[in-house]
Amino acid sequence: MKKVALIFGTRPEAIKMAPLYHALKNSKMQPVVIATAQHREMLDQVLNLFEITPDYDLNIMKERQSLPELTSRLISSIDRVFAEVSFDFALVQGDTTSTFAGSLVSFYHKVPVGHVEAGLRTMDIYNPFPEEVNRRLTGTIASYHYAPTEEAMKNLLKEGINRKNVLVTGNTVIDALLWTLEHKKNDVQKFREDINVGKGDYILITMHRRENWGKPMSQVMKAIKDILAKKPELKVVFPVHLNPAVREIVYAELKEHKRVILLEPLDYLPFVSLMEGSKLILTDSGGIQEEAPALGKPTLVLRKTTERPEAVKAGTAKLIGTERTKVVEETLRLLNSPEEYKEMAKAANPFGEGKAAEKIISHLKNVLGV
């Protein structure tokens, strides 16, 4: 039986790889999960939800380790697995350091790589950092590129990738989202009841990216208080990343506000609940820009650039940066304009209809002759 390595380490990667894991289990191929645990607690939550037991759990994280330290530990740890197991193919996803390290080790062992969610670009190597370069370097190694959109495919072709090695699939995150809404409907509603928020009476916020640490994040936290002062009927729900660089700023600014609900990082199911029930979403996350359109939730992106311009072009997301007055102005404009809000909420999702895993596994069967 052909062995396919699935290498991932963060919560977003696990969510997007889960549909592929189950599709592989239902095929005549054997998935071998190599979990780097780049996000330990958040990763475990997703593995439990999607019933995935890693074959190899590398547990490589140390507190406040540098990117060079993380990268070197990932490479050596993944290499030990590849020295033990003879793989026929490797799948990596997205733009994390685990993605790049996994593709590099696969290359060293002459194992072909399939890059899931290939071709996203901001054209700025420091935004997002280090994700933009991780994704580009993975693209130079990969044998096959599973692009979520036509726009992503065009980026790859501009970089000289052979068209026959690119497949437009949609994004597997939509597969995972639709599965969760279908199979966990009662749990989705119950979580909002547990934290005392109703559908449409809160703004959901997430913010964690390295380039937003410090002043940009502080500016956004102040903007949140300004928005709440103008909108007394609304609450804010904010699951706060575990990184101390994030928590120190968020808690200093928002801890005492009566209409701000600060939560510990959530597993995927309650987070889907919060997305589905929100009025709108403010985020610097990449994945949320893909998920929110499937739920009809307008998204304001707290970044200068996005590697998902399809969302902006489709009208489901808008780049607003992190400057305090701009965040306040754009959020209030959306909240005060039913027409603009409806236009964003009803825009078509550019990231597919939930069949991405099916398309990727079908292609992989052809490649491996299964």
Side-chain angles (χ1 to χ4, degrees):
M1 183 177 287
K2 301 291 187 180
K3 291 183 179 178
V4 179
L6 279 74
I7 306 167
F8 57 85
T10 68
R11 183 177 84 163
E13 286 176 292
I15 292 166
K16 294 177 179 183
M17 289 289 240
L20 290 167
Y21 169 79
H22 288 291
L24 279 168
K25 286 194 74 173
N26 293 328
S27 73
K28 294 181 180 179
M29 296 175 283
Q30 179 185 346
V32 179
V33 174
I34 303 170
T36 68
Q38 192 177 329
H39 288 174
R40 176 77 272 172
E41 296 88 351
M42 292 185 283
L43 174 67
D44 289 345
Q45 295 162 357
V46 174
L47 294 176
N48 291 333
L49 174 65
F50 289 104
E51 301 173 358
I52 300 172
T53 301
D55 298 281
Y56 296 89
D57 191 331
L58 306 184
N59 200 29
I60 50 80
M61 285 307 290
K62 289 184 177 180
E63 189 173 350
R64 293 184 185 271
Q65 68 183 331
S66 68
L67 281 171
E69 288 173 319
L70 171 62
T71 305
S72 64
R73 294 188 72 221
L74 280 165
I75 290 171
S76 60
S77 297
I78 297 169
D79 179 64
R80 285 193 288 272
V81 179
F82 273 67
E84 178 181 327
V85 182
S86 179
F87 291 109
D88 298 287
F89 202 87
L91 287 170
V92 296
Q93 193 284 325
D95 58 11
T96 71
T97 306
S98 292
T99 304
F100 166 58
S103 63
L104 185 61
V105 172
S106 300
F107 165 72
Y108 287 156
H109 287 266
K110 297 185 178 179
V111 175
V113 174
H115 187 193
V116 180
E117 197 186 69
L120 279 64
R121 300 288 186 271
T122 65
M123 307 307 172
D124 179 346
I125 64 171
Y126 295 112
N127 280 294
F129 176 85
E131 289 86 355
E132 174 75 3
V133 163
N134 285 338
R135 197 185 292 272
R136 290 197 208 182
L137 292 173
T138 300
T140 67
I141 294 170
S143 300
Y144 300 100
H145 308 259
Y146 301 120
T149 64
E150 294 286 338
E151 187 77 20
M153 180 184 71
K154 290 175 185 176
N155 290 335
L156 293 165
L157 299 183
K158 287 176 186 176
E159 294 172 5
I161 301 298
N162 192 318
R163 175 65 183 85
K164 71 178 184 179
N165 296 329
V166 182
L167 179 68
V168 178
T169 63
N171 200 300
T172 56
V173 76
I174 307 303
D175 304 34
L177 177 64
L178 297 180
W179 181 92
T180 303
L181 290 172
E182 179 183 351
H183 290 87
K184 306 288 182 179
K185 188 179 299 183
N186 292 336
D187 295 325
V188 165
Q189 183 174 338
K190 184 178 182 301
F191 180 75
R192 294 195 296 267
E193 295 171 355
D194 289 344
I195 64 168
N196 195 31
V197 293
K199 200 163 188 176
D201 70 359
Y202 63 92
I203 298 171
L204 175 61
I205 309 230
T206 77
M207 199 173 188
H208 71 282
R209 286 201 177 272
R210 190 179 296 260
E211 64 267 26
N212 280 338
W213 292 356
K215 184 178 178 181
M217 192 168 291
S218 180
Q219 286 280 297
V220 173
M221 297 309 105
K222 289 177 169 61
I224 290 169
K225 291 188 284 189
D226 294 341
I227 293 163
L228 288 173
K230 296 283 188 179
K231 290 290 180 180
E233 74 279 12
L234 286 177
K235 298 177 183 178
V236 159
V237 181
F238 193 159
V240 186
H241 198 279
L242 291 172
N243 194 301
V246 175
R247 295 174 80 85
E248 288 166 10
I249 295 172
V250 172
Y251 275 86
E253 291 284 354
L254 299 179
K255 184 178 179 181
E256 302 302 323
H257 200 292
K258 293 181 180 179
R259 285 185 286 125
V260 174
I261 301 171
L262 298 179
L263 301 173
E264 292 300 299
L266 298 171
D267 67 20
Y268 184 60
L269 181 60
F271 193 74
V272 168
S273 173
L274 288 182
M275 285 196 294
E276 190 204 30
S278 66
K279 181 70 173 177
L280 60 90
I281 301 172
L282 273 68
T283 186
D284 64 2
S285 165
I288 291 173
Q289 296 172 53
E290 299 157 348
E291 294 167 302
L295 300 170
K297 302 300 172 183
T299 304
L300 299 177
V301 182
L302 302 166
R303 290 165 59 178
K304 296 177 182 178
T305 60
T306 179
E307 64 279 35
R308 294 163 175 86
E310 299 91 340
V312 177
K313 289 179 181 178
T316 62
K318 186 174 185 179
L319 282 170
I320 65 170
T322 58
E323 199 273 320
R324 179 178 179 176
T325 57
K326 180 74 168 177
V327 173
V328 174
E329 174 187 323
E330 293 291 348
T331 304
L332 291 178
R333 173 184 291 125
L334 190 56
L335 290 171
N336 292 332
S337 172
E339 296 80 11
E340 186 173 343
Y341 181 93
K342 184 178 179 181
E343 187 175 341
M344 287 187 77
K346 297 294 185 183
N349 185 359
F351 299 104
E353 71 287 352
K355 303 289 186 184
E358 180 183 314
K359 293 175 183 177
I360 292 170
I361 298 307
S362 177
H363 176 265
L364 192 49
K365 284 181 176 180
N366 289 332
V367 168
L368 296 179
V370 175

